[in-house]
Amino acid sequence: NDRFIKEYCDGRLSIFPDPLNAENNVLEYARNGGAADDVIVGNFNGALEIGENAIMSIDLLDLAPPSSLVFSIQDAFGTELAQFNLTSTLANEWQTLTMDLAALEGLPNATNFVMLFEPGQLVVESYYIDNLSIESIISVEEESAAAITVYPNPSNGVLNVVNEGVSKI
């Protein structure tokens, strides 16, 4: 993964075994309740390439939902380019939270992110984070197969094939 955390405000941030599957390691963020606006700041190891229909997702394991998460995408100077207000709803299972990046399409300077769990609250809780990723969803127009009719059946050796209104013998 080419994303990395460069600082955090309060609590403990560490690589930790996944509480649901100890064979995997995830990021554990344990807040100790010492700061109301406790942030994690990271960068994307360069500017994001945000294409058409881009969706960013993050997997979150929250042991005591619901919890609010503010996810901010910023430039290298800390100017906010987009903010997403997310809410975890599932207890004791991984949940994928998604963000539509359409407003950022083509911006060349989205380099940093900030995560703020339970803004404005003194919270003692652990959150587990995995799989921060970006995907471009490509839409595909559906085409229906043309109806083909073959007759007569059974045949005497001559078949009629009709395809999209054109008859051929």
Side-chain angles (χ1 to χ4, degrees):
N1 195 327
D2 61 350
R3 286 96 170 104
F4 67 94
I5 307 298
K6 60 183 182 181
E7 61 185 83
Y8 57 97
C9 178
D10 187 35
R12 185 187 78 245
L13 189 65
S14 58
I15 302 296
F16 195 81
D18 179 339
L20 302 181
N21 180 358
E23 294 180 15
N24 296 326
N25 287 323
V26 296
L27 185 65
E28 178 194 44
Y29 187 51
R31 286 192 60 186
N32 66 17
D37 288 325
D38 191 7
V39 299
I40 299 172
V41 179
N43 71 31
F44 296 111
N45 198 19
L48 294 179
E49 292 183 29
I50 302 172
E52 186 176 357
N53 300 316
I55 300 290
M56 179 177 282
S57 63
I58 185 170
D59 291 344
L60 181 67
L61 174 61
D62 185 356
L63 303 179
S67 296
S68 63
L69 166 62
V70 175
F71 193 97
S72 172
I73 297 178
Q74 302 179 350
D75 66 15
F77 304 104
T79 302
E80 187 170 75
L81 304 173
Q83 177 178 304
F84 303 93
N85 296 305
L86 309 169
T87 302
S88 65
T89 56
L90 303 177
N92 297 314
E93 62 181 276
W94 285 97
Q95 179 175 8
T96 300
L97 304 174
T98 59
M99 298 159 268
D100 183 352
L101 302 181
L104 299 176
E105 182 183 341
L107 283 180
N109 55 352
T111 58
N112 297 332
F113 63 90
V114 175
M115 290 187 283
L116 175 62
F117 288 92
E118 296 291 351
Q121 299 182 36
L122 298 173
V123 174
V124 177
E125 187 177 346
S126 291
Y127 305 93
Y128 300 89
I129 304 163
D130 201 11
N131 301 322
L132 177 60
S133 63
I134 296 177
E135 297 178 33
S136 287
I137 299 172
I138 300 171
S139 63
V140 177
E141 286 187 33
E142 289 186 32
E143 291 190 27
S144 58
I148 298 175
T149 306
V150 179
Y151 66 92
N153 185 7
S155 166
N156 61 2
V158 176
L159 290 175
N160 293 307
V161 179
V162 179
N163 181 10
E164 295 183 24
V166 177
S167 267
K168 296 185 181 185
I169 300 180

